Amino acid sequence: MKVIHCDIAIIGGSLGGVAATYQLPSSSNDRDLNIILTSASEWLGGQLTSQGVSAPDEHAHIETFGATKTYLQLREMIRHAYQTKYNAPAIMAESILGTNMPLNPGNGWVSRLCCDPRLILENFDISADIYHHYRPMSAVVENNQVISVKLENNAGEHLEIYAQYFLDATDTGDLLPLTQTAYVTGAESQSDTGEPQAPVTARPNETQGFTYCFAVEYCAGENHTIDKPEGYDYFRDNQPYTLSPIGRDGQPVIYKMFEYSDQGNLPFWSYRRIHDGTLLGGNDISLINWISNDYHGGNILDVPADEQASYLDEAKSLSLGFLYWLQTECLRDDGGYGYPELKLRPDVMGTSDGLSQMPYIRESRRIVPQKRIVEQDITAEFNKGARAKHFTDSVGIGWYAMDLHPCVDNPDVSMYAPTKPFQIPLGALIPHNTKNLIPACKNIGTTHLTNGAYRLHPIEWAIGEAASTLANFCISQDISPQTLYTDAWKIWRLQARLVQRGCPIFWAIDIPIDHSHFEVTQLLLVRDLLIEDSPRWHRLEIGMNQRLGDDFDLSKLKAIANELNQEIGYMTIDTLVITPDITWESVCNLFNESMKVLA
């Protein structure tokens, strides 16, 4: 058995795990950190690559704000790769999402960046020693401290890792039971979370369905029909296989394959198209991730290995069955049934069977945290301003609807509730008991409901960056995350490190990451300066050159100035000039030097 000693072990090659490596090359205590990353699959990147969802779920502001610097850089690197390889334009004059849009290689309508997972993989910039095909099997824990984690690869070889900090970057929170970290699964009870839409009694088995995605190429005039998969008739009738799923009003939402439906819905084919042949040359290629291949026949968390394997095999048959239905029974736009022209593309997913290397996991085990994010914190119903509930300990931001797919034991119920742009509170990353384990993807302290908003691509990336920065900071300060959580000054210093590295922690869309006053704006506004029901409270823009007026709590702003004067010492901020008549730019200029020292 190989034994490794390191500073930080990132266990799991999820998207959050990849993001975590981006913030770790910096040093702690005047020395370079030794970082290990393990992955159960060959491809790193989780939902964006090995799980096949390379048309990322994002939000309306993603091109300019609402993600970390490294995530936005990755998006631009992918676009540049397409410009180099396919001579694609930087700006698309016409696209399915509108005119003069930044390059969307697949020209799909679910995302502004629908692309081939292989090109994403090529553009990761990972700073860690990597061990592929290793799964965690056991752990040694003493006094709520993880000492080591033992892993096993596909050949039965073992690896034991000793580290100061362990980041659980597995998509299903695999380290949590092994390290005796308190966690939950499925739906919590209403009495537990206080959420109006939670069930009366807890349903730990009620997890969202997972999906084996696949890619198909449209080859006109050709026949690529696969063999009829096992269990096809059952899945066809009971899933069911359809392009017209039942909506939340009980009526079918009708889609056609290549044409707009009579309801005005965009074509199914271009929904997750990842290669637009008209734009890039060759045939179209689409990613298939649809309600018809969402598997909710069994929960793969905390069940025996043979039972889990059975569910995974059924999920694969379900997805291949949906392909067979599309090829043979789907109602054609031009009359008749079936599109035998659809060719399965195993090379796109890097597998022999054509399915994604790993299932797309929507719901993980979740830590019992210092702060649990509940429905009331993020939904539009409970938050009347432009933003969701404010967290002064924010370590990231995100925005997506509270979207829950059909679940195990409750497949007929789904949810899509609007939210306001929200934050990621530090308390959701800190377990109650385990001192040196930090969740790094969708295993943070959400609930069954709010997980539906925090599980998406740029949010998981932000969680990964925050997790690694937290570990790094705790090493440099020689404190535990739990101790850090009780110290507001140290939390602010942690936030300063995040902001300095291009991780926004507050929604201010008119002051982007490359703005000269981005850092100071973020670090001041996270201190809850906006007055409730003021004009700026009702919009995402701050207004750099507008006077403060009655939008800001000036007493808090002056208190921050006094705090900095006291803590930093040689800096002096004149609180007398902080009046309603000065602009936000003047405030930034006043605090700028102090904020640099804070980081």
Side-chain angles (χ1 to χ4, degrees):
M1 180 171 61
K2 185 173 184 179
V3 177
I4 296 176
H5 292 264
C6 63
D7 295 299
I8 300 175
I10 305 169
I11 307 299
S14 66
L15 189 59
V18 169
T21 70
Y22 277 62
Q23 291 291 28
L24 283 175
S26 56
S27 63
S28 290
N29 296 325
D30 299 320
R31 64 178 178 81
D32 292 334
L33 292 172
N34 183 15
I35 313 302
I36 298 295
L37 172 65
T38 70
S39 172
S41 64
E42 177 63 28
W43 286 4
L44 300 172
Q47 59 180 317
L48 197 55
T49 54
S50 62
Q51 296 177 20
V53 190
S54 56
D57 297 296
E58 299 174 331
H59 55 75
H61 301 286
I62 193 63
E63 300 298 346
T64 55
F65 197 82
T68 71
K69 181 179 181 179
T70 55
Y71 184 85
L72 296 178
Q73 287 175 338
L74 175 63
R75 296 174 88 254
E76 291 312 306
M77 289 171 66
I78 294 167
R79 284 176 168 150
H80 179 71
Y82 272 95
Q83 292 170 48
T84 301
K85 184 173 182 178
Y86 295 100
N87 197 29
I91 301 294
M92 300 169 63
E94 299 288 338
S95 78
I96 201 165
L97 293 176
T99 59
N100 298 319
M101 299 287 289
L103 175 62
N104 186 353
N107 197 14
W109 51 269
V110 75
S111 173
R112 290 168 171 79
L113 189 63
C114 301
C115 52
D116 190 315
R118 294 170 294 182
L119 266 76
I120 298 172
L121 197 68
E122 291 172 7
N123 283 279
F124 283 150
D125 183 16
I126 296 170
S127 299
D129 293 329
I130 305 169
Y131 290 81
H132 292 280
H133 303 296
Y134 275 92
R135 298 177 180 274
M137 304 300 292
S138 63
V140 176
V141 181
E142 296 178 2
N143 298 320
N144 291 325
Q145 187 94 3
V146 183
I147 306 301
S148 66
V149 171
K150 185 182 292 185
L151 304 97
E152 183 179 61
N153 69 7
N154 297 342
E157 299 168 332
H158 291 93
L159 174 68
E160 188 166 20
I161 301 177
Y162 291 79
Q164 290 191 67
Y165 276 86
F166 292 87
L167 271 55
D168 186 344
T170 63
D171 278 283
T172 47
D174 294 344
L175 281 191
L176 303 185
L178 299 181
T179 59
Q180 303 164 34
T181 300
Y183 69 93
V184 296
T185 62
E188 301 90 339
S189 69
Q190 194 174 90
S191 61
D192 181 14
T193 67
E195 296 170 308
Q197 298 188 74
V200 174
T201 58
R203 301 171 184 169
N205 202 49
E206 191 174 300
T207 57
Q208 287 193 72
F210 61 86
T211 308
Y212 275 102
C213 303
F214 58 92
V216 287
E217 175 185 358
Y218 183 76
C219 302
E222 298 179 13
N223 187 334
H224 295 280
T225 305
I226 64 172
D227 294 336
K228 184 177 179 179
E230 182 180 354
Y232 171 76
D233 293 330
Y234 174 83
F235 288 133
R236 177 195 60 198
D237 299 336
N238 291 277
Q239 186 66 6
Y241 293 147
T242 181
L243 295 191
S244 300
I246 301 300
R248 291 176 180 84
D249 60 357
Q251 300 301 313
V253 182
I254 299 172
Y255 294 91
K256 291 186 175 181
M257 179 62 79
F258 299 109
E259 301 174 359
Y260 283 75
S261 73
D262 294 341
Q263 294 177 342
N265 296 322
L266 289 161
F268 170 81
W269 178 251
S270 55
Y271 174 54
R272 291 186 184 270
R273 183 172 52 195
I274 58 175
H275 183 102
D276 182 355
T278 303
L279 179 69
L280 305 175
N283 294 327
D284 278 7
I285 302 173
S286 279
L287 167 70
I288 307 301
N289 173 19
W290 189 250
I291 192 170
S292 290
N293 61 324
D294 279 1
Y295 179 80
H296 38 73
N299 179 14
I300 59 173
L301 304 179
D302 298 332
V303 296
D306 57 346
E307 183 177 346
Q308 182 187 83
S310 175
Y311 294 146
L312 294 174
D313 286 343
E314 280 191 3
K316 291 180 178 182
S317 295
L318 173 71
S319 283
L320 291 173
F322 185 45
L323 170 60
Y324 184 76
W325 180 85
L326 291 169
Q327 292 173 326
T328 61
E329 295 193 50
C330 176
L331 180 63
R332 293 180 63 98
D333 296 346
D334 56 4
Y337 294 91
Y339 288 92
E341 303 96 327
L342 299 181
K343 178 184 178 181
L344 186 62
R345 288 289 303 269
D347 57 315
V348 174
M349 293 298 164
T351 59
S352 59
D353 61 9
L355 301 175
S356 54
Q357 294 182 20
M358 307 290 284
Y360 171 35
I361 300 294
R362 295 184 177 86
E363 187 170 345
S364 171
R365 300 175 181 90
R366 304 179 297 278
I367 66 165
V368 175
Q370 302 290 329
K371 161 59 190 174
R372 182 168 52 184
I373 306 164
V374 297
E375 172 189 354
Q376 300 92 308
D377 293 332
I378 64 171
T379 58
E381 178 183 359
F382 290 96
N383 296 276
K384 302 308 179 185
R387 304 166 185 83
K389 180 179 178 179
H390 182 75
F391 293 111
T392 56
D393 67 335
S394 172
V395 290
I397 61 173
W399 190 21
Y400 201 77
M402 201 165 70
D403 176 22
L404 275 81
H405 285 228
C407 299
V408 176
D409 295 341
N410 197 10
D412 297 324
V413 177
S414 59
M415 181 185 300
Y416 195 89
T419 65
K420 295 294 178 70
F422 50 73
Q423 296 167 302
I424 304 166
L426 172 63
L429 273 66
I430 302 177
H432 259 302
N433 56 338
T434 312
K435 297 174 184 177
N436 64 334
L437 181 140
I438 301 172
C441 49
K442 56 181 70 69
N443 49 357
I444 66 169
T446 56
T447 65
H448 172 66
L449 297 178
T450 56
N451 164 75
Y454 279 78
R455 63 180 172 81
L456 289 311
H457 300 70
I459 306 167
E460 182 177 325
W461 186 278
I463 291 168
E465 289 205 54
S468 60
T469 305
L470 172 59
N472 191 344
F473 186 83
C474 288
I475 290 173
S476 69
Q477 300 294 306
D478 193 24
I479 57 174
S480 70
Q482 289 81 2
T483 300
L484 167 65
Y485 191 60
T486 64
D487 189 326
W489 175 255
K490 281 189 168 60
I491 290 175
W492 205 25
R493 289 187 59 206
L494 168 67
Q495 292 169 323
R497 288 197 183 186
L498 283 163
V499 170
Q500 188 180 57
R501 295 171 181 178
C503 299
I505 56 177
F506 183 90
W507 278 90
I509 63 173
D510 57 332
I511 309 176
I513 291 169
D514 58 359
H515 195 286
S516 59
H517 289 318
F518 166 76
E519 293 180 26
V520 64
T521 293
Q522 292 287 311
L523 290 172
L524 288 176
L525 292 179
V526 79
R527 297 292 293 268
D528 196 21
L529 297 181
L530 287 179
I531 299 292
E532 185 173 341
D533 216 25
S534 66
R536 284 178 171 100
W537 187 77
H538 283 289
R539 68 180 194 234
L540 294 177
E541 299 88 359
I542 296 303
M544 181 62 70
N545 297 311
Q546 297 176 16
R547 60 189 294 272
L548 300 184
D550 297 326
D551 293 345
F552 298 91
D553 188 330
L554 299 191
S555 64
K556 285 185 179 180
L557 192 56
K558 292 179 180 180
I560 294 171
N562 289 329
E563 180 182 355
L564 287 167
N565 288 338
Q566 179 179 352
E567 293 288 346
I568 296 176
Y570 62 88
M571 295 286 182
T572 302
I573 301 173
D574 185 1
T575 60
L576 295 178
V577 303
I578 300 175
T579 69
D581 291 325
I582 67 171
T583 64
W584 184 254
E585 183 174 26
S586 298
V587 171
C588 292
N589 289 331
L590 192 64
F591 282 83
N592 220 7
E593 288 303 315
S594 296
M595 292 306 181
K596 291 178 182 178
V597 176
L598 180 67

